[in-house]
C-alpha cells in the first residue's frame, strides 16, 4: 500500500493534492455525533467508552473522506488520575473545583501508569483502527504541558493565564515541579498512543499564544521538550504542534523540530511561508469562515491553495470546528481543497 497523502506531507513531500482534516472534526456540528453524545450526561464517561469514542472518531472520515482521523478524546483526561478534580459542566466547559495554588497541592499530585489508568485509550485506538478505511492515518494527541497546567492552576479556560503566570513569577520552583510532573506523564502517554497504533501525534498547546517569547522559552518550551524526548525515545511517529495565536512564537516552536506546525488564522500565511521557507505548516482558514456562503469559502480556500504551490502543507482550519458550523460549509472547504469548485 502506498504511503497516505497526510504522512507524505509530514515527510516534507510536495503532494499533488493537499491532505485535509479538521481540528474538532468529531463534534457537535454533526447530527450523528449528537446522537451518540445524547447517551452520556458526563463528557468524561463518553471519552472513556471506547466503542462510542471509536464510533464518533470515524464519523467525519466516513462523511467527508478526510485524509486523517483524530482519536476522539480530550487533552484533559490525564488530569483526574493526577488527583485534579476536573469536571465538564455543560455550557461552561472544563472546570477544576479546587485548582492548584500552592506548593503543597503540587506535592500531593499522584503519579500513575497510563497503561493501567487510561486503558480506554488503547481500546479506542484498536477499535478505531478496525473501523477506519485501512489507508486513513490515525492521530493521537495530548495537551502541551503549559496548557494542561493552565487548566490545573486556573480551574477553567483562561483569557490571560493570570494565575499560571503568577505562580511562575512568584514561585518558580513550584511551577517547575508542576510542569515537570505533567510533562513526564504527558510524554509517556503520547508515546503509548503511538505504540497502541496511532500513525502520527499532535501536541496541542492551545494557550501558549498568551506568552511572550521570553516567557515561552521558560514556561513552555522546556516542558514540551520533555514530552518530545519521551516520544522520540519510544517511537518514530511524526509529531505535529498546534498553538492558538502563537505566530510570534514560531521561531521558538521550530527549534523543537516538529514534522509540521499548526498555524491559527490570525497568522498571515503568505508572510509566514516566506519567512519559514522549509517548514511544513498546517492550517489556517478561520473556523468562522465556514459560516460564509459556499462561494466565499471556496474563494478563500483557493487563495490559501495558491500560496502553497510547490510547498508541502496540510490543510486544516486555524482552530477547531465551531459547534454551530453548517455541514455545507465544511463540505465546501473540503471540496475546494480537492479542486472541486461549485
Ligand atoms: O475531533 C477532534 O478534534 C478530537 C477530539 C478533541 C476534543 N477535544 C473533543 C472535545 C480534541 C483533539 C480536543 C482537544 C482539546 N480539548 C483542546 C486543544 C485544542 C483546542 O481546541 O484548542 C482543549 C483546549 C480542550 C479542552 C476542552 N475540552 C474544552 C475547552 C472543552 C469545552 C469547550 C467546548 O467546545 O465545549 C472541551 C470539551 C470537548 N472536547 C468537546 C469535544 C467534542 C465538547 C463536549 C461535548 O460534546 O459536550
Amino acid at each position: 500500500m502506498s504511503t497516505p497523502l497526510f504522512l507524505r506531507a509530514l515527510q516534507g513531500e510536495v503532494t499533488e493534492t493537499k491532505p485535509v482534516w479538521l481540528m474538532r472534526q468529531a463534534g457537535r456540528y454533526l447530527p450523528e455525533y449528537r446522537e451518540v453524545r445524547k447517551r452520556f450526561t458526563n463528557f468524561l464517561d463518553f471519552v472513556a467508552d471506547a466503542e462510542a469514542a471509536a464510533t464518533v472518531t470515524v464519523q467525519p472520515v466516513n462523511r467527508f473522506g478526510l485524509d486523517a482521523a483524530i482519536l476522539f478524546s480530550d487533552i484533559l483526561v490525564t488530569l483526574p488520575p493526577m488527583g485534579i478534580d476536573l469536571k465538564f459542566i455543560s455550557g461552561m466547559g472544563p472546570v477544576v473545583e479546587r485548582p492548584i495554588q500552592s506548593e503543597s497541592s503540587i506535592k500531593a499530585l499522584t503519579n500513575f501508569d497510563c497503561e493501567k489508568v487510561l486503558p480506554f485509550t488503547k481500546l479506542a485506538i484498536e477499535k478505531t483502527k478496525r473501523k477506519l478505511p485501512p489507508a486513513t492515518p490515525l492521530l493521537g494527541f495530548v495537551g502541551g504541558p503549559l496548557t494542561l497546567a493552565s487548566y490545573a492552576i486556573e480551574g477553567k479556560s483562561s483569557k490571560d493565564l493570570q494565575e499560571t503566570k503568577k505562580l511562575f513569577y512568584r514561585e518558580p520552583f513550584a511551577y517547575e515541579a508542576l510542569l515537570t510532573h505533567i510533562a513526564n506523564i504527558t510524554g509517556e502517554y503520547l508515546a503509548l498512543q503511538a505504540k497502541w497504533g496511532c500513525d502520527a501525534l499532535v501536541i496541542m498547546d492551545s494557550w501558549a499564544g498568551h506568552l511572550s517569547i521570553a516567557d515561552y522559552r521558560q514556561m513552555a518550551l522546556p516542558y514540551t521538550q520533555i514530552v518530545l524526548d519521551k516520544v522520540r525515545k519510544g517511537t518514530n511517529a511524526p509529531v505535529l504542534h498546534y498553538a492558538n495565536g502563537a505566530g510570534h512564537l514560531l521561531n521558538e516552536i521550530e527549534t523543537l523540530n516538529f514534522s509540521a506546525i499548526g498555524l491559527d488564522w490570525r497568522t498571515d500565511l503568505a508572510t509566514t511561508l516566506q519567512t519559514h521557507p522549509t517548514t511544513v505548516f498546517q492550517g489556517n482558514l478561520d473556523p468562522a469562515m465556514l459560516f460564509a456562503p459556499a462561494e466565499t469559502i471556496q474563494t478563500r480556500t483557493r487563495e490559501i491553495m495558491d500560496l502553497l504551490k510547490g510547498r508541502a502543507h496540510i490543510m486544516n482550519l486555524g482552530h477547531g470546528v465551531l459547534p454551530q458550523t453548517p455541514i455545507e460549509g465544511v463540505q465546501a472547504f473540503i471540496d475546494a481543497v480537492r479542486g472541486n469548485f461549485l
Side-chain angles (χ1 to χ4, degrees):
M1 202 163 54
S2 59
T3 308
L5 206 58
F6 176 69
L7 298 178
R8 282 164 52 204
L10 282 175
Q11 288 162 4
E13 197 180 308
V14 185
T15 53
E16 53 289 2
T17 49
K18 304 299 179 206
V20 57
W21 70 283
L22 310 164
M23 289 189 279
R24 290 272 170 104
Q25 62 192 25
R28 283 161 290 185
Y29 74 106
L30 287 178
E32 58 269 36
Y33 171 90
R34 294 196 296 269
E35 234 358 84
V36 181
R37 179 73 184 88
K38 274 205 286 215
R39 294 182 6 223
F40 302 89
T41 320
N42 182 335
F43 179 69
L44 287 172
D45 291 342
F46 179 12
V47 166
D49 185 320
E51 181 63 30
T55 299
V56 300
T57 300
V58 299
Q59 284 173 347
V61 178
N62 289 342
R63 186 188 265 269
F64 302 113
L66 295 159
D67 292 297
I70 181 158
L71 185 71
F72 185 78
S73 186
D74 199 86
I75 61 164
L76 302 176
V77 293
T78 49
L79 296 187
M82 286 182 210
I84 295 168
D85 62 340
L86 170 82
K87 293 195 180 67
F88 281 87
I89 299 177
S90 95
M92 275 183 79
V95 175
V96 175
E97 266 156 30
R98 279 170 290 118
I100 290 195
Q101 274 155 354
S102 66
E103 203 158 353
S104 62
S105 53
I106 295 167
K107 288 214 176 89
L109 289 178
T110 44
N111 211 339
F112 63 90
D113 178 348
C114 294
E115 213 149 358
K116 292 211 179 89
V117 176
L118 303 164
F120 54 83
T121 304
K122 178 173 187 230
L123 203 56
I125 292 170
E126 290 166 356
K127 283 176 179 285
T128 303
K129 296 286 274 190
R130 285 200 288 272
K131 290 180 199 279
L132 274 178
T136 309
L138 177 62
L139 284 156
F141 67 93
V142 290
L146 176 269
T147 296
L148 293 176
S150 80
Y151 281 97
I153 299 166
E154 312 273 342
K156 57 181 169 31
S157 302
S158 161
K159 281 196 249 349
D160 47 24
L161 298 193
Q162 173 182 293
E163 298 303 319
T164 310
K165 291 181 183 182
K166 202 158 95 186
L167 185 72
F168 173 71
Y169 296 141
R170 292 190 183 177
E171 297 184 66
F173 293 111
Y175 181 88
E176 185 186 344
L178 174 63
L179 273 278
T180 306
H181 186 82
I182 291 176
N184 281 325
I185 289 173
T186 305
E188 191 198 325
Y189 184 45
L190 193 58
L192 279 170
Q193 292 181 48
K195 188 178 136 198
W196 293 334
C198 288
D199 305 284
L201 306 167
V202 194
I203 298 177
M204 299 192 176
D205 209 0
S206 299
W207 307 133
H210 288 304
L211 304 180
S212 66
I213 292 174
D215 281 349
Y216 181 80
R217 281 188 194 133
Q218 292 188 56
M219 289 181 69
L221 191 136
Y223 306 103
T224 303
Q225 184 73 64
I226 293 176
V227 176
L228 279 171
D229 288 347
K230 291 212 175 228
V231 169
R232 287 175 178 155
K233 232 182 255 163
T235 147
N236 295 323
V239 189
L240 299 89
H241 186 272
Y242 173 77
N244 191 13
H248 62 295
L249 301 175
L250 271 181
N251 288 337
E252 311 309 311
I253 295 167
E254 269 193 327
T255 65
L256 294 163
N257 289 318
F258 288 99
S259 296
I261 298 177
L263 297 175
D264 81 310
W265 70 97
R266 304 170 202 85
T267 308
D268 184 62
L269 189 62
T271 318
T272 307
L273 291 170
Q274 274 178 10
T275 50
H276 299 77
T278 57
T279 309
V280 180
F281 289 111
Q282 171 179 280
N284 71 342
L285 191 80
D286 186 341
M289 176 59 63
L290 301 185
F291 291 92
E295 292 77 10
T296 315
I297 297 170
Q298 298 213 330
T299 306
R300 287 297 181 90
T301 307
R302 199 202 302 251
E303 281 164 16
I304 295 180
M305 303 295 289
D306 286 346
L307 296 173
L308 295 170
K309 294 204 174 103
R311 263 316 263 246
H313 190 86
I314 295 155
M315 285 301 279
N316 205 314
L317 304 175
H319 201 178
V321 182
L322 296 163
Q324 311 290 330
T325 303
I327 288 168
E328 310 80 75
V330 175
Q331 188 67 61
F333 170 61
I334 295 166
D335 286 347
V337 175
R338 303 249 160 92
N340 305 320
F341 296 96
L342 285 167

